[in-house]
Each structure stands twice: as C-alpha cells, then as structure tokens.
C-alpha cells in the first residue's frame, strides 16, 4: 500500500511549462464569423422573448442576435452596451445557463439553447477590437460631482452612465488597479489576455471619470468627507471580509482564504511559480469554491475535493460549474461539514469532517459520523462579509448588508449603493452592473431635480 508522505507537500512548478498555458486557456474561445452566423440563425427572435426577461440588465437579446445574423456585429454590440456597458465581461462570466439560456425556447423544446452568451461575446469583442471608445457621447457638463467608491462592475457601470449624463465622476478603489472581482476574483481561464483591464479602459474612454486607486474607505477616505465634497455618493465596496470556519487551528499555515488565492492566481506573472499542495480541500458550494478548486487542479494538485454541507442540488454553483469541476477531476463531497483542522508542526495536515443530514424543515444536523481527508491546503470559500467600519454609523444595515430601495438609494439622502454590499445583492457581475445603472439614473434625476 502506498504510504502518504508525512507533513505538507507544497511546491511550485508541478507541471511541464507548456501545460500552464494550455490549462488556463480561454474556457469558451471566441466564435468564428461563420460559427456566429450559424448560431444566430438558430434564434426564433421571439416576441416578448423570455431570454430578455431573464436578463438582469434587460438586453434586447433577439435584436442583438438578429443584427449578428444580418452581418452587423457593431450594431449588435451597441444594442448590448446600451443596457450593459460591461457586456463583454458578462458574456464571459455570467451563468447564462441559469439566466437567459435556461428559458430559451430552444432549450425548453430541444434541450439545446441558442448560445446567447457566446454570441454576446462575439459582438462585443468585435466592437472592442475595432474601437477604443464606447459608442456613447457625453452630455453637456452638468457642473455636478459624484463620488463612486469601488471600481468593480457596479462602480464602473454607475460611473459610465453618470459620465454620459454630463456629471464629473471621481472613481475611488482600494486596490492598485480597477476592475474589482472582474480583475481579482474570477478564475483566470474565464477572462484571458488582460480583458478585465482592457474593459476598464473602454469604460473610462467616455471621459469625465477620474480614477484614483489606493483609496480605501475607512482608511484614507471617509464617507462623511465624501458627502461634504460631492453632490452624491455611490458605494460599490463589495464584501471585504471573509467568513471564518470558527475551528481551532484555523490560523495555522495552509488554511487559506479562497478569494485571496484566486487574486494571486489572477495577478501572477508566472503560474508555474505558485505553490501547490498535493491534497487540496475546499470548503463551500458556490462559484468561488469551484473557481479555486478547478484552478488548483489545473496547477497540478493530485487530489482536490470540494466539501459542501448540504446536497449537491443545493449548491450555489451552477450545474455547468459543478460539471466543469468534475470533468476537470475535482471531487464533490456533499453532506459533510468541517469538524476539526488537524495540524502538524504548525501546518495543516488533514481535515476531519462530520457527515450531515438535511431535515424536512430545512435545518441541518450533524450525524456524528466523522471522516478524515489529508490536506496540504484547506481553502475557505464560505462567503464574504461587509466591513462595517468603512461606513457611516447612520447608514441603515440589515443582515450585514446596506439597505437600499428600488432605486438603490440608502437611508442617507445623498448616498446610493449597489453590488454585493447591498441587501439582496447577488454574487453576479450582471446584477452588479444593473445596480450601477439603476443608481446612476436615480442620481441623475436627483441632481436635475
């Protein structure tokens, strides 16, 4: 019987050099012109199309597909950008299989939907390859100034729409470059060739937006100061905290935050230099859990297991993402939760898990059955939390998120918010973009009142 090596086995460069570029190549390569034409011709161009109703940003999907089918990809891209200025990234990362494509008439009738996401990427990539600027012009200067805090999808969307209306926008971000989760928080194979930064440049090309990086709310800027200086403020600060497992030894080496490591992968100059364990355990059931698990497998880990406390059909990760994980060689262990983190010489060596059972009333009970998995690295992907210290004490919160109305306005008259930081916010680029767009229109109306 093979003996398990004692202690952690973590090393860089586990794969041949050429394997990294192959493993992290584009998940959905760009359609060729002929492929796009053939796929566009499958669309029924439905009146009152269910796909359009399922799109959080209400893109006119039949219209943009019709424009592709008639040889007008630039016109198609303009149709997309009118509703979603980050349509290029959304085409890459949105779970279209559970949004527009899930309700496609072709999916319902045949189980094979029109490839809406890939067609959206075809149009937007075509436009951006030939144009450095967005297809919009700024209105006359309004004389109003708006602060947007957080240069992720919601912030970029809001800033662009405000700039179109003629307002001067200062866009603050805590990191050294803009993009938010599009730049730092998604699997590298979903967005290749520096697309996130190219899209940031595209959005900023509208003019009237000043980007200031290295500016963190609660550190070198504060909400009270922004409210005193600007006519309105939009908060898209995301969720800066990470939920804990609340287990002994959690602070020991090898117990890591998945979101931080995903960022390291995204920003790495050489993937071959990243440390990789032999045995990886990921705790969680969402997209972040899948993103870190798949990437660790692609970096050369021998055994990667996602551990989720409930049944697999309860996982937040889409069915496509789950299948991607499994076809990559990642195991999914369900109905199990962390029981204990076992360490040797200050480093994680294994994790003990307790079997669980879901009761009829939805509660989760431990069964007392314990199993153990070897682990050189354990990644926490169990959700993120709002950093409360960043905010004005008077702003209303509920369930650890900022409370907003339908216009994304907070309890403060001159402050709006959107994206993951708001109550009801979803961990999706497309819903963040919609939040930013709605808030911008509300801010514009308020400033013109």
């Amino acid at each position: 019987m093979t003996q398990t090596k004692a202690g952690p086995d973590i090393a860089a460069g586990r794969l041949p050099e050429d394997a990294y570029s192959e493993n992290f190549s584009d998940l959905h390569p760009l359609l060729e012109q002929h492929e796009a034409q053939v796929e566009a011709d499958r669309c029924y161009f439905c009146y009152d199309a269910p796909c359009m109703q399922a799109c959080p940003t209400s893109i006119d999907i039949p219209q943009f597909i019709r424009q592709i089918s008639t040889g007008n990809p630039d016109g198609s891209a303009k149709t997309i950008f009118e509703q979603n200025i980050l349509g290029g990234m959304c085409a890459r990362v949105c779970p279209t299989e559970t949004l527009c494509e899930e309700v496609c008439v072709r999916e319902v009738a045949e189980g094979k939907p029109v490839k809406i996401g890939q067609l959206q990427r075809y149009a937007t990539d075509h436009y951006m390859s030939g144009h450095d600027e967005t297809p919009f012009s700024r209105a006359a200067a309004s004389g109003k100034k708006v602060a947007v805090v957080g240069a992720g999808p919601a912030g970029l969307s809001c800033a662009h729409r405000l700039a179109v209306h003629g307002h001067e926008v200062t866009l603050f971000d805590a990191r050294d470059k803009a993009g938010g989760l599009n730049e730092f928080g998604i699997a590298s194979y979903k967005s290749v060739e520096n697309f996130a930064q190219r899209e940031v440049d595209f959005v900023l090309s509208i003019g009237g937006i000043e980007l200031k990086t290295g500016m963190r709310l609660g550190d070198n800027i504060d909400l009270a100061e922004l409210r005193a200086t600007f006519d309105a403020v939009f908060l898209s600060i995301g969720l800066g905290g990470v939920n804990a497992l609340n287990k002994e030894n959690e602070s020991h080496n090898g117990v890591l935050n998945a979101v931080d490591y995903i960022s390291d992968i995204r920003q790495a100059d050489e993937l071959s230099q990243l440390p990789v364990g032999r045995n990886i355990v990921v705790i969680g059931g969402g997209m972040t859990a899948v993103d870190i698990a798949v990437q660790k497998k692609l970096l050369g880990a021998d055994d990667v297991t996602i551990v989720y406390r409930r049944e697999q059909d309860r996982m937040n990760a889409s069915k496509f993402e789950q299948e991607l994980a499994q076809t990559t060689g990642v195991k999914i262990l369900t109905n199990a939760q962390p029981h204990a983190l076992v360490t040797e010489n200050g480093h994680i060596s294994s994790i003990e898990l307790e079997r669980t059972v879901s009761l009829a009333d939805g509660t989760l009970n431990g069964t007392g059955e314990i199993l153990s998995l070897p682990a050189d690295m354990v990644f926490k992907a169990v959700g993120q939390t709002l950093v409360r210290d960043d905010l004005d004490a008077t702003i209303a919160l509920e369930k650890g998120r900022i409370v907003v109305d339908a216009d994304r306005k907070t309890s403060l008259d001159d402050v709006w918010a959107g994206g993951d930081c708001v109550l009801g916010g979803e961990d999706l680029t497309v819903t963040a973009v919609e939040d930013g767009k709605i808030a911008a229109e509300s801010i514009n109306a308020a400033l013109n009142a």
Side-chain angles (χ1 to χ4, degrees):
M1 186 173 76
T2 302
Q3 295 294 316
T4 303
K5 181 180 177 180
D9 185 1
I10 299 174
R14 291 200 182 278
L15 302 175
E17 193 63 36
D18 59 354
Y20 294 99
S21 57
E22 180 179 349
N23 286 356
F24 286 85
S25 60
D26 207 332
L27 181 62
H28 296 296
L30 183 66
L31 295 176
E32 299 287 344
Q33 180 181 357
H34 174 69
E35 294 174 314
Q37 291 282 156
V38 170
E39 191 61 30
D41 286 341
R42 294 185 63 238
C43 182
Y44 288 138
F45 310 114
C46 306
Y47 175 76
D48 200 19
C51 58
M52 183 175 173
Q53 296 175 44
C55 174
T57 55
S58 301
I59 293 172
D60 191 338
I61 294 171
Q63 173 69 3
F64 93 67
I65 294 179
R66 187 185 299 277
Q67 288 168 306
I68 292 174
S69 71
T70 57
N72 182 18
D74 276 359
S76 175
K78 291 177 184 178
T79 297
I80 295 164
F81 290 139
E82 283 173 2
Q83 297 299 325
N84 185 343
I85 193 60
L86 273 68
M89 183 60 79
C90 286
R92 289 164 164 79
V93 303
C94 282
T96 53
E97 66 277 2
T98 61
L99 295 170
C100 52
E101 292 178 13
E102 183 177 54
V103 297
C104 175
V105 173
R106 287 265 191 192
E107 164 65 19
V108 175
E110 307 166 10
K112 189 177 181 182
V114 175
K115 297 176 182 177
I116 298 170
Q118 291 192 54
L119 288 174
Q120 180 169 314
R121 177 178 171 185
Y122 172 80
T124 53
D125 275 28
H126 184 277
Y127 188 92
M128 292 176 67
S129 67
H131 302 81
D132 293 329
E133 300 179 354
T134 73
F136 304 99
S137 300
R138 294 193 69 206
S142 68
K144 302 293 186 179
K145 300 186 301 180
V146 182
V148 174
V149 185
L156 289 168
S157 172
C158 185
H160 182 272
R161 184 62 66 102
L162 288 168
V164 169
H165 284 306
H167 307 305
E168 291 292 330
V169 180
T170 303
L171 180 59
F172 300 95
D173 198 86
R175 294 184 183 262
D176 60 355
K177 55 183 172 180
L181 290 179
N182 287 353
E183 173 61 42
F184 297 97
I186 60 172
S188 293
Y189 51 77
K190 293 180 180 179
S191 175
V192 302
E193 298 176 347
N194 203 33
F195 179 79
Q197 286 307 298
R198 289 192 286 118
E199 189 173 55
V200 168
D201 292 341
F202 182 69
V203 170
L204 298 184
S205 71
I206 188 65
I209 304 172
E210 180 185 9
L211 174 63
K212 293 186 175 182
T213 57
M215 304 294 287
R216 183 181 298 277
L217 195 65
D219 184 3
N220 47 6
I221 54 173
D222 64 69
L223 186 53
E225 179 184 353
L226 294 177
R227 295 178 67 196
T229 307
F230 293 87
D231 297 295
V233 178
F234 177 71
L235 300 175
S236 52
I237 56 177
L239 300 173
V242 177
N243 286 325
L245 300 178
N246 295 316
K247 299 297 178 184
E248 188 178 356
N249 297 332
E250 191 168 344
S251 63
H252 285 214
N253 291 335
V255 183
L256 306 163
N257 293 332
V259 290
D260 291 341
Y261 202 94
I262 289 172
S263 176
D264 290 344
I265 297 173
R266 292 278 300 168
Q267 303 305 309
D269 293 326
E270 295 290 341
L271 292 172
S272 61
Q273 300 304 305
L274 292 171
V276 183
R278 291 286 185 189
N279 299 300
I280 309 294
V281 176
V282 179
I283 309 299
M287 303 283 268
T288 299
V290 171
D291 279 358
I292 188 63
V294 170
Q295 289 185 108
K296 293 303 288 186
K297 188 66 177 176
L298 296 178
L299 285 168
D302 289 345
D303 191 274
V304 181
T305 303
I306 293 174
V307 176
Y308 180 59
R309 60 192 179 128
R310 296 187 183 273
E311 294 76 17
Q312 189 164 344
D313 61 5
R314 298 282 298 277
M315 291 177 68
N316 286 333
S318 69
K319 185 177 180 181
F320 170 81
E321 293 286 338
Q322 294 176 40
E323 291 175 350
L324 174 65
Q326 291 173 309
T327 55
T328 308
V330 173
K331 302 170 185 175
I332 298 178
L333 175 62
T334 58
N335 288 108
Q337 62 186 5
H339 175 70
L341 298 167
V342 181
T343 61
E344 293 180 8
N345 300 318
H347 198 289
I348 189 74
S349 60
S350 64
I351 182 170
E352 292 182 355
L353 305 165
E354 181 184 21
R355 287 287 189 183
T356 64
V357 59
S358 296
L359 303 182
D361 62 0
T363 58
L364 190 71
N365 278 4
T367 66
E369 179 186 353
I370 304 297
L371 63 152
S372 178
L373 294 179
D376 303 309
M377 290 177 162
V378 171
F379 287 96
K380 297 179 287 184
V382 288
Q384 296 174 264
T385 59
L386 184 70
V387 179
R388 181 67 177 86
D389 293 343
D390 293 349
L391 299 169
D392 189 304
T394 62
I395 198 166
L397 300 181
E398 185 178 330
K399 298 179 180 178
R401 306 287 181 96
I402 302 171
V403 176
V404 294
D405 64 14
D407 292 326
R408 309 311 188 261
K409 193 172 187 178
T410 72
S411 58
L412 305 177
D413 285 343
D414 54 353
V415 179
W416 285 253
D420 294 349
C421 66
V422 303
L423 183 65
E426 299 180 46
D427 185 21
L428 293 176
T429 295
V430 67
T431 54
V433 170
E434 181 69 359
D435 282 352
K437 183 176 72 177
I438 290 172
E441 293 298 344
S442 178
I443 293 169
N444 179 61
L447 296 180
N448 288 329

